Amino acid sequence: MKFLTTALLTAALLGGCASTTSKHPATVADGVLVGPNGMTLYTFDRDTAGSGKSACNGQCAANWPPLVPTATAQPLADYTIITRDDGSRQWAMKGKPLYYWVKDAKPGDKTGDNVMNAWRVARP
């Protein structure tokens, strides 16, 4: 009985620790990065890695919505946060801002890959 009580207490404590750790803003599915909603993420060739800027603003950003961090999100591993021209924040992976494509209708769609020969699916 003492072993069972100790095991349950340990599991509860470890479970509590796991729930307080930060999650990455994207995960890998079918070899590409996807956002929390399961939709494919993209990078833009005109963005300069590590510049802290996005070259996709205005109508471009309407078609390619940025992956937006929560107000309390902090950089984590290869993920950084840039400040866009409008003052909003955006996740970047290895210095490249991450975007969704409005024409992807469901998780697994990758219709934005190679659009205008400038957009690429984001890969880990």
Side-chain angles (χ1 to χ4, degrees), residues 31-45:
V32 301
L33 292 177
V34 298
N37 60 1
M39 300 299 284
T40 302
L41 292 168
Y42 298 88
T43 59
F44 187 34
D45 288 350

Side-chain angles (χ1 to χ4, degrees), residues 9-100:
L9 180 59
T10 301
L13 289 172
L14 290 175
C17 290
S19 66
T20 62
T21 59
S22 298
K23 288 186 175 182
H24 289 96
T27 56
V28 178
D30 196 25
V32 301
L33 292 177
V34 298
N37 60 1
M39 300 299 284
T40 302
L41 292 168
Y42 298 88
T43 59
F44 187 34
D45 288 350
R46 294 184 189 148
D47 286 332
T48 302
S51 71
K53 293 282 187 185
S54 168
C56 179
N57 296 288
Q59 186 57 47
C60 178
N63 290 323
W64 299 90
L67 177 60
V68 178
T70 64
T72 59
Q74 296 294 316
L76 178 66
D78 285 334
Y79 295 95
T80 55
I81 299 171
I82 66 163
T83 301
R84 299 177 50 76
D85 286 355
D86 65 3
S88 65
R89 299 178 345 138
Q90 178 176 4
W91 281 111
M93 168 69 161
K94 297 180 183 173
K96 292 283 281 189
L98 296 170
Y99 307 86
Y100 294 105

